[in-house]
Amino acid sequence: SPRALLPIGIPQVLVQGLSDYILDLVDQNRVYAREAATLGDTARLIEIDGAEHLHLIEPTAAGWPTVVDSIQEAFLLAAT
């Protein structure tokens, strides 16, 4: 369980599609981000309205620019 490893001491950016077909994944990511922050980790959760599970890895999906921006942000956070 990733939550069992908290805090990990590494800045995290989580990206979640709100139309994910794995229904409890949205809630799990919200709980994870909240718990990580409570334990002192930097954890940012980005939720993309209308994005399904696989849209997060599909360059033609509407939310893809947000995913790319999130990856770049994660690298910047890790470099600080």
Side-chain angles (χ1 to χ4, degrees), residues 29-78:
N29 278 316
R30 288 174 178 163
V31 168
Y32 178 90
R34 187 171 47 249
E35 198 166 313
T38 298
L39 293 172
D41 279 347
T42 300
R44 179 169 177 232
L45 175 60
I46 299 168
E47 298 179 329
I48 302 175
D49 193 34
E52 296 178 10
H53 191 76
L54 295 178
H55 287 169
L56 302 179
I57 60 168
E58 177 56 52
T60 61
W64 181 250
T66 302
V67 173
V68 172
D69 290 346
S70 301
I71 292 168
Q72 291 173 337
E73 178 186 342
F75 279 114
L76 290 173
L77 285 173

Side-chain angles (χ1 to χ4, degrees), residues 1-47:
S1 167
R3 282 177 54 206
L5 300 174
L6 292 173
I8 63 172
I10 299 171
Q12 302 161 73
V13 179
L14 311 167
V15 182
Q16 175 66 56
L18 292 178
S19 295
D20 200 313
Y21 58 81
I22 304 172
L23 298 178
D24 64 338
L25 195 55
V26 174
D27 289 331
Q28 287 179 21
N29 278 316
R30 288 174 178 163
V31 168
Y32 178 90
R34 187 171 47 249
E35 198 166 313
T38 298
L39 293 172
D41 279 347
T42 300
R44 179 169 177 232
L45 175 60
I46 299 168
E47 298 179 329

